């Protein structure tokens, strides 16, 4: 299955694959991929203005963190509620790994378990969604989920596909359908 990515994200996926034994790399790089895709998706829904975009999306700016971007995209009808909750879960797992040196996908700590409980975008699906056709399935089957890390990665892929699907469904720099 090809990941729903744009050029600069390919390095992150390679890092995840090359360091697949590292739970921390998977969670933090996966969270960074999500954040970058959210920034691009939300930015392309707004008027093109680099100075204002830089102000909004800078670290500690109004849209500098992952969750406000998820919320804004949801309010723009870019993602549905199930996807919104799944993206929250990915962000929470990423934050858990970023702030806990002993973090692993085997953790039973409540913050981790709560974040993982939101990763349900794969449930009831046998195939990944189509990245160009919102609401349609692709021909790519979802891999077997053998462990918690697999569940994180599969949900990350589904989330990235949802974001790409939104990007291609609108004219760039506009909320007008494409």
């Amino acid at each position: 299955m090809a990941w729903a990515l744009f050029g600069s994200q390919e390095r992150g996926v390679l890092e995840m694959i090359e360091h697949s034994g590292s739970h921390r790399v998977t969670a933090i790089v996966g969270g960074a991929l999500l954040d970058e895709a959210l920034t691009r998706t939300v930015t392309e829904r707004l008027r093109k203005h680099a100075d204002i975009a830089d102000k909004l999306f800078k670290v500690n700016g109004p849209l500098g963190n992952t969750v406000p971007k998820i919320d804004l995209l949801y309010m723009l009808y870019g993602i549905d509620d199930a996807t919104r909750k799944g993206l929250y879960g990915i962000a929470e797992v990423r934050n858990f790994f970023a702030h806990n040196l002993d973090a692993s996908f085997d953790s039973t700590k409540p913050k981790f378990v709560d974040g993982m409980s939101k990763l349900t975008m794969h449930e009831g699906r046998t195939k990944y969604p189509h990245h160009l056709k919102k609401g349609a399935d692709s021909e790519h089957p979802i891999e077997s989920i053998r462990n918690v890390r697999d569940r994180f990665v599969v949900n990350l892929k589904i989330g990235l596909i949802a974001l790409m699907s939104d990007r291609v469904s609108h004219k760039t720099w506009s909320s007008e359908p494409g």
Side-chain angles (χ1 to χ4, degrees), residues 94-108:
R94 178 260 169 223
N95 287 342
F96 176 78
F97 275 86
H99 298 286
N100 292 282
L101 294 176
D102 63 341
S104 82
F105 280 109
D106 300 321
S107 179
T108 58

PDB file of all heavy atoms in Angstrom, residues 94-108:
ATOM      1  N   ARG A  94       1.401  10.253  20.194  1.00  0.00           N
ATOM      2  CA  ARG A  94       2.649  10.966  19.892  1.00  0.00           C
ATOM      3  C   ARG A  94       3.108  11.760  21.112  1.00  0.00           C
ATOM      4  O   ARG A  94       4.277  11.719  21.497  1.00  0.00           O
ATOM      5  CB  ARG A  94       2.439  11.884  18.687  1.00  0.00           C
ATOM      6  CG  ARG A  94       3.668  12.696  18.318  1.00  0.00           C
ATOM      7  CD  ARG A  94       3.531  14.102  18.872  1.00  0.00           C
ATOM      8  NE  ARG A  94       4.783  14.817  18.754  1.00  0.00           N
ATOM      9  CZ  ARG A  94       5.298  15.576  19.706  1.00  0.00           C
ATOM     10  NH1 ARG A  94       4.696  15.736  20.857  1.00  0.00           N
ATOM     11  NH2 ARG A  94       6.416  16.216  19.536  1.00  0.00           N
ATOM     12  N   ASN A  95       2.188  12.492  21.737  1.00  0.00           N
ATOM     13  CA  ASN A  95       2.546  13.298  22.907  1.00  0.00           C
ATOM     14  C   ASN A  95       2.985  12.423  24.078  1.00  0.00           C
ATOM     15  O   ASN A  95       3.911  12.783  24.808  1.00  0.00           O
ATOM     16  CB  ASN A  95       1.381  14.199  23.324  1.00  0.00           C
ATOM     17  CG  ASN A  95       1.193  15.347  22.356  1.00  0.00           C
ATOM     18  OD1 ASN A  95       2.087  15.678  21.586  1.00  0.00           O
ATOM     19  ND2 ASN A  95       0.019  15.943  22.372  1.00  0.00           N
ATOM     20  N   PHE A  96       2.348  11.283  24.245  1.00  0.00           N
ATOM     21  CA  PHE A  96       2.737  10.362  25.305  1.00  0.00           C
ATOM     22  C   PHE A  96       4.195   9.944  25.125  1.00  0.00           C
ATOM     23  O   PHE A  96       4.986   9.955  26.070  1.00  0.00           O
ATOM     24  CB  PHE A  96       1.822   9.134  25.312  1.00  0.00           C
ATOM     25  CG  PHE A  96       2.213   8.098  26.317  1.00  0.00           C
ATOM     26  CD1 PHE A  96       1.911   8.263  27.656  1.00  0.00           C
ATOM     27  CD2 PHE A  96       2.905   6.958  25.927  1.00  0.00           C
ATOM     28  CE1 PHE A  96       2.289   7.308  28.600  1.00  0.00           C
ATOM     29  CE2 PHE A  96       3.289   5.996  26.860  1.00  0.00           C
ATOM     30  CZ  PHE A  96       2.976   6.173  28.199  1.00  0.00           C
ATOM     31  N   PHE A  97       4.570   9.587  23.890  1.00  0.00           N
ATOM     32  CA  PHE A  97       5.948   9.172  23.620  1.00  0.00           C
ATOM     33  C   PHE A  97       6.927  10.341  23.767  1.00  0.00           C
ATOM     34  O   PHE A  97       8.040  10.158  24.229  1.00  0.00           O
ATOM     35  CB  PHE A  97       6.063   8.555  22.227  1.00  0.00           C
ATOM     36  CG  PHE A  97       5.729   7.100  22.193  1.00  0.00           C
ATOM     37  CD1 PHE A  97       4.417   6.684  22.049  1.00  0.00           C
ATOM     38  CD2 PHE A  97       6.717   6.134  22.327  1.00  0.00           C
ATOM     39  CE1 PHE A  97       4.091   5.334  22.033  1.00  0.00           C
ATOM     40  CE2 PHE A  97       6.406   4.780  22.304  1.00  0.00           C
ATOM     41  CZ  PHE A  97       5.094   4.379  22.162  1.00  0.00           C
ATOM     42  N   ALA A  98       6.490  11.534  23.379  1.00  0.00           N
ATOM     43  CA  ALA A  98       7.377  12.695  23.451  1.00  0.00           C
ATOM     44  C   ALA A  98       7.664  13.111  24.887  1.00  0.00           C
ATOM     45  O   ALA A  98       8.720  13.682  25.164  1.00  0.00           O
ATOM     46  CB  ALA A  98       6.770  13.861  22.678  1.00  0.00           C
ATOM     47  N   HIS A  99       6.752  12.807  25.807  1.00  0.00           N
ATOM     48  CA  HIS A  99       6.887  13.293  27.176  1.00  0.00           C
ATOM     49  C   HIS A  99       7.162  12.202  28.202  1.00  0.00           C
ATOM     50  O   HIS A  99       7.190  12.486  29.396  1.00  0.00           O
ATOM     51  CB  HIS A  99       5.639  14.080  27.571  1.00  0.00           C
ATOM     52  CG  HIS A  99       5.426  15.291  26.717  1.00  0.00           C
ATOM     53  ND1 HIS A  99       6.193  16.423  26.840  1.00  0.00           N
ATOM     54  CD2 HIS A  99       4.564  15.526  25.698  1.00  0.00           C
ATOM     55  CE1 HIS A  99       5.807  17.311  25.946  1.00  0.00           C
ATOM     56  NE2 HIS A  99       4.824  16.797  25.227  1.00  0.00           N
ATOM     57  N   ASN A 100       7.371  10.971  27.739  1.00  0.00           N
ATOM     58  CA  ASN A 100       7.663   9.859  28.644  1.00  0.00           C
ATOM     59  C   ASN A 100       8.837   9.062  28.099  1.00  0.00           C
ATOM     60  O   ASN A 100       8.701   8.365  27.087  1.00  0.00           O
ATOM     61  CB  ASN A 100       6.450   8.936  28.790  1.00  0.00           C
ATOM     62  CG  ASN A 100       5.314   9.604  29.524  1.00  0.00           C
ATOM     63  OD1 ASN A 100       5.345   9.717  30.741  1.00  0.00           O
ATOM     64  ND2 ASN A 100       4.328  10.077  28.766  1.00  0.00           N
ATOM     65  N   LEU A 101       9.979   9.165  28.756  1.00  0.00           N
ATOM     66  CA  LEU A 101      11.176   8.495  28.267  1.00  0.00           C
ATOM     67  C   LEU A 101      11.052   6.977  28.280  1.00  0.00           C
ATOM     68  O   LEU A 101      11.733   6.296  27.513  1.00  0.00           O
ATOM     69  CB  LEU A 101      12.393   8.939  29.077  1.00  0.00           C
ATOM     70  CG  LEU A 101      12.765  10.412  28.915  1.00  0.00           C
ATOM     71  CD1 LEU A 101      13.931  10.767  29.831  1.00  0.00           C
ATOM     72  CD2 LEU A 101      13.096  10.722  27.468  1.00  0.00           C
ATOM     73  N   ASP A 102      10.197   6.439  29.115  1.00  0.00           N
ATOM     74  CA  ASP A 102      10.043   4.983  29.185  1.00  0.00           C
ATOM     75  C   ASP A 102       8.847   4.483  28.362  1.00  0.00           C
ATOM     76  O   ASP A 102       8.417   3.346  28.502  1.00  0.00           O
ATOM     77  CB  ASP A 102       9.898   4.531  30.641  1.00  0.00           C
ATOM     78  CG  ASP A 102       8.646   5.080  31.306  1.00  0.00           C
ATOM     79  OD1 ASP A 102       8.072   6.079  30.806  1.00  0.00           O
ATOM     80  OD2 ASP A 102       8.237   4.512  32.350  1.00  0.00           O
ATOM     81  N   ALA A 103       8.324   5.308  27.486  1.00  0.00           N
ATOM     82  CA  ALA A 103       7.135   4.950  26.708  1.00  0.00           C
ATOM     83  C   ALA A 103       7.403   3.782  25.761  1.00  0.00           C
ATOM     84  O   ALA A 103       8.493   3.642  25.216  1.00  0.00           O
ATOM     85  CB  ALA A 103       6.659   6.158  25.908  1.00  0.00           C
ATOM     86  N   SER A 104       6.378   2.958  25.603  1.00  0.00           N
ATOM     87  CA  SER A 104       6.407   1.891  24.597  1.00  0.00           C
ATOM     88  C   SER A 104       4.970   1.571  24.217  1.00  0.00           C
ATOM     89  O   SER A 104       4.024   1.978  24.906  1.00  0.00           O
ATOM     90  CB  SER A 104       7.106   0.637  25.140  1.00  0.00           C
ATOM     91  OG  SER A 104       6.216  -0.119  25.923  1.00  0.00           O
ATOM     92  N   PHE A 105       4.812   0.845  23.141  1.00  0.00           N
ATOM     93  CA  PHE A 105       3.472   0.437  22.720  1.00  0.00           C
ATOM     94  C   PHE A 105       2.905  -0.650  23.635  1.00  0.00           C
ATOM     95  O   PHE A 105       1.771  -1.071  23.459  1.00  0.00           O
ATOM     96  CB  PHE A 105       3.461  -0.010  21.254  1.00  0.00           C
ATOM     97  CG  PHE A 105       3.428   1.141  20.284  1.00  0.00           C
ATOM     98  CD1 PHE A 105       4.533   1.445  19.516  1.00  0.00           C
ATOM     99  CD2 PHE A 105       2.298   1.924  20.158  1.00  0.00           C
ATOM    100  CE1 PHE A 105       4.507   2.509  18.627  1.00  0.00           C
ATOM    101  CE2 PHE A 105       2.255   2.997  19.276  1.00  0.00           C
ATOM    102  CZ  PHE A 105       3.355   3.289  18.509  1.00  0.00           C
ATOM    103  N   ASP A 106       3.677  -1.086  24.599  1.00  0.00           N
ATOM    104  CA  ASP A 106       3.203  -2.053  25.594  1.00  0.00           C
ATOM    105  C   ASP A 106       2.703  -1.361  26.861  1.00  0.00           C
ATOM    106  O   ASP A 106       2.296  -2.037  27.808  1.00  0.00           O
ATOM    107  CB  ASP A 106       4.325  -3.031  25.964  1.00  0.00           C
ATOM    108  CG  ASP A 106       4.813  -3.820  24.766  1.00  0.00           C
ATOM    109  OD1 ASP A 106       3.974  -4.208  23.925  1.00  0.00           O
ATOM    110  OD2 ASP A 106       6.034  -4.031  24.651  1.00  0.00           O
ATOM    111  N   SER A 107       2.716  -0.063  26.883  1.00  0.00           N
ATOM    112  CA  SER A 107       2.365   0.684  28.087  1.00  0.00           C
ATOM    113  C   SER A 107       0.913   0.434  28.512  1.00  0.00           C
ATOM    114  O   SER A 107       0.027   0.232  27.675  1.00  0.00           O
ATOM    115  CB  SER A 107       2.561   2.183  27.854  1.00  0.00           C
ATOM    116  OG  SER A 107       2.208   2.902  29.009  1.00  0.00           O
ATOM    117  N   THR A 108       0.711   0.481  29.811  1.00  0.00           N
ATOM    118  CA  THR A 108      -0.647   0.384  30.365  1.00  0.00           C
ATOM    119  C   THR A 108      -1.029   1.683  31.070  1.00  0.00           C
ATOM    120  O   THR A 108      -2.046   1.729  31.767  1.00  0.00           O
ATOM    121  CB  THR A 108      -0.746  -0.798  31.369  1.00  0.00           C
ATOM    122  OG1 THR A 108       0.219  -0.608  32.398  1.00  0.00           O
ATOM    123  CG2 THR A 108      -0.515  -2.124  30.659  1.00  0.00           C
TER     124      THR A 108
END
